[in-house]
């Protein structure tokens, strides 16, 4: 470590003293210090975060797949809270909240200016208590309140079924501690129904990510033993690592390997991976690994681009920080960060197209986002702004239509356009490629 900058440390001490002596009312010493730590960490990038006692507990609950709340995955956009995806079966899902909805108020508190952590705190609480969310739905040009009753969210991260004879569909909504076991059970169920499976759709749409070991395990279910899944690189020596499709890279201490129960045929069955702009982090690792090894065809729209590694460091028994310590790279060495995974086949959300793709938020749109760290970054803001302006005009025209005409079908149904195109891909039939989607280039990040 280089020596601490003495002048800046003295300024920090001076500001602390001025607040203590001159501020309009007394401020608790501990609050000042923890707020300073929180601000220091939050200024780095959108994913680094300071955990106080309560948020540390909530973070650990989130990775276990059990917590009390409304059941949404969120990020920030223009100072508001944006829904990445409602957790299927949750109170928020049943209340009709959608991907890209913006939360403007939580009860009587305006969201503008709240940190992501504070917003999560306000939405979580005790079971059977109510929270009032004010929702801005841009594509319908309206704002409305929704009262949601909190409950324990036991997220079922894996769904699946035999969609038609010979073809299965498995959807992962998040990568959690139970995901790998649930995935294996679902594969066993599908093969029990049809041992001669001809193709499988792995649906990672709106999957915000989760645990790295779960992503490595899901990749290993399809890849040859020892194949590279993902590599990481950062300042620390321990952050320079390569994860392979082998038990030592995904098994937890004392646990057996659930992948041993998988049918051998799964290693050879043709696979299509479905992704969209809500597919992030761990889901991008899986899509990138299967794409680079030519084990699957990736179909849909360009993914979110959250290709950074967060490491949780305890600061005490009940507090800690989540710090970005490395970037993720696909097996071929491509950085996922701020770029995402570009599908092999671009397919729209609906048969009518995906006219609003330019307005959708990705990692590269987030304030203070980390660059890819590779030299191929291009300045593309002018072209993107033109595309956004065209999309805004289309959005205004679309908003005049009845809401029912714009509702997207549920994933996994016969009306799910992208799923139907995935099945056509598996059968060797003609796929209806996108009319509107194009690859988004990385923008140069100004220092």
């Amino acid at each position: 470590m280089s020596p601490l900058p003495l002048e800046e440390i003295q300024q920090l001490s001076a500001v602390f003293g001025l607040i203590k002596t001159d501020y309009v009312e007394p401020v608790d010493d501990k609050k000042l210090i923890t707020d300073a730590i929180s601000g220091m960490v939050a200024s780095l990038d959108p994913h680094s975060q300071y955990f106080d006692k309560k948020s540390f507990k909530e973070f650990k609950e989130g990775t276990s797949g059990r917590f009390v709340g409304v059941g949404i995955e969120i990020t920030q956009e223009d100072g508001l809270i944006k829904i990445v995806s409602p957790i299927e079966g949750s109170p928020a899902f049943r209340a009709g909240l959608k991907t890209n909805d913006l939360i403007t108020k939580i009860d009587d508190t305006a969201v503008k200016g709240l940190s992501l952590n504070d917003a999560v705190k306000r939405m979580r609480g005790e079971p059977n208590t109510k929270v009032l969310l004010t929702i801005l739905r841009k594509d319908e040009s309206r704002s409305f309140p929704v009262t949601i009753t909190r409950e324990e969210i036991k997220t079922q991260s894996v769904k699946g079924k035999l969609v038609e004879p010979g073809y299965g569909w498995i959807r992962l909504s998040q990568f959690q501690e139970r995901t790998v076991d649930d995935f294996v059970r679902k594969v066993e169920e599908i093969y029990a129904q049809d041992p001669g499976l001809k193709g499988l759709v792995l649906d990672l749409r709106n999957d915000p990510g989760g645990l790295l070991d779960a992503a490595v395990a899901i990749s290993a279910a399809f890849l040859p033993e020892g194949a590279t899944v993902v590599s990481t690189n950062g300042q620390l020596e321990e952050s320079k690592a390569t994860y392979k499709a082998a038990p030592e890279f995904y098994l937890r201490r004392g646990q057996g390997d659930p992948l041993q129960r998988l049918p051998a045929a799964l290693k050879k069955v043709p696979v299509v991976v479905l992704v969209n702009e809500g597919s992030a982090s761990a889901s991008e690792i899986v899509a990138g690994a299967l794409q680079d090894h030519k084990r699957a065809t990736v179909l849909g729209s360009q993914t979110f681009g959250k290709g950074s590694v967060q490491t949780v460091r305890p600061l005490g028994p009940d507090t800690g920080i989540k710090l970005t310590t490395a970037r993720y790279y696909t097996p071929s060495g491509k950085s996922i960060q701020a770029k995402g995974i570009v599908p092999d086949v671009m397919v729209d959300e609906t048969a009518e197209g995906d006219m609003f793709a330019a307005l959708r938020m990705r990692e590269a749109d987030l304030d203070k986002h980390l660059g890819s760290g590779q030299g191929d970054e291009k300045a593309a803001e002018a072209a993107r702004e033109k595309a956004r302006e065209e999309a805004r005009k289309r959005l205004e025209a679309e908003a005049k239509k009845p809401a029912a005409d714009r509702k997207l079908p549920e994933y996994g149904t016969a009306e799910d356009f992208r799923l139907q195109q995935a099945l056509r891909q598996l059968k060797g039939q003609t796929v209806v490629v996108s009319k509107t989607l194009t690859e988004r280039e990385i923008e140069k990040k100004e220092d």
Side-chain angles (χ1 to χ4, degrees), residues 37-295:
I37 294 170
S38 181
M40 191 188 331
V41 176
S43 68
L44 298 171
D45 64 69
H47 308 294
S48 294
Q49 181 182 350
Y50 168 71
F51 291 125
D52 60 16
K53 185 174 181 179
K54 185 177 179 184
S55 59
F56 205 20
K57 177 175 178 286
E58 288 167 347
F59 171 77
K60 288 187 276 192
E61 287 173 346
T63 57
S64 71
R66 300 169 75 99
F67 59 91
V68 175
V70 300
I72 48 175
E73 301 294 339
I74 59 174
T75 186
Q76 282 187 306
E77 178 181 319
D78 298 330
L80 302 178
I81 302 300
K82 178 183 175 180
I83 297 177
V84 174
S85 60
I87 296 170
E88 292 179 32
S90 69
F93 183 85
R94 297 195 300 270
L97 298 191
K98 297 180 180 180
T99 295
N100 296 323
D101 280 350
L102 296 173
I103 301 173
T104 59
K105 288 177 72 175
I106 302 170
D107 289 324
D108 295 324
T109 303
V111 164
K112 197 84 169 176
L114 279 185
S115 69
L116 208 57
N117 190 30
D118 286 337
V120 169
K121 283 181 185 179
R122 291 176 183 275
M123 285 187 281
R124 291 192 178 175
E126 295 302 314
N128 301 316
T129 58
K130 295 184 186 299
V131 61
L132 176 65
L133 303 181
T134 303
I135 304 297
L136 172 62
R137 185 165 290 165
K138 284 184 176 180
D139 64 353
E140 295 177 13
S141 301
R142 68 187 181 106
S143 184
F144 55 92
V146 178
T147 299
I148 299 177
T149 302
R150 299 179 181 95
E151 62 183 51
E152 184 178 20
I153 309 297
K154 299 176 185 177
T155 54
Q156 292 296 321
S157 62
V158 181
K159 285 187 171 185
K161 61 183 177 180
L162 199 66
V163 287
E164 59 182 74
Y167 297 94
W169 169 75
I170 294 182
R171 170 161 165 70
L172 305 185
S173 58
Q174 201 170 1
F175 288 84
Q176 300 173 334
E177 291 174 3
R178 306 195 307 263
T179 297
V180 179
D181 285 314
D182 291 347
F183 170 81
V184 170
R185 277 193 291 272
K186 192 58 67 177
V187 170
E188 288 175 324
E189 287 175 17
I190 289 173
Y191 268 94
Q193 293 176 60
D194 192 340
L197 202 67
K198 299 175 186 174
L200 182 70
V201 178
L202 181 63
D203 192 343
L204 302 178
R205 288 175 293 178
N206 288 343
D207 181 332
L211 300 175
L212 173 61
D213 56 4
V216 174
I218 297 299
S219 301
F222 298 98
L223 294 174
E225 177 90 15
T228 296
V229 173
V230 67
S231 61
T232 61
N233 192 26
Q235 281 200 86
L236 290 171
E237 196 57 39
E238 66 193 62
S239 71
K240 305 176 194 301
T242 299
Y243 296 84
K244 296 180 180 292
E248 60 265 33
F249 293 96
Y250 59 80
L251 282 189
R252 299 187 174 194
R253 189 176 299 171
Q255 291 184 340
D257 186 0
L259 299 192
Q260 294 298 317
R261 307 201 319 263
L262 288 171
L266 188 68
K267 292 282 189 182
K268 300 293 184 184
V269 70
V271 178
V272 168
V273 178
L274 279 178
V275 296
N276 66 359
E277 63 283 341
S279 306
S281 192
S283 53
E284 294 176 291
I285 288 171
V286 174
L290 300 190
Q291 183 183 58
D292 276 10
H293 287 293
K294 302 191 185 311
R295 178 62 188 88

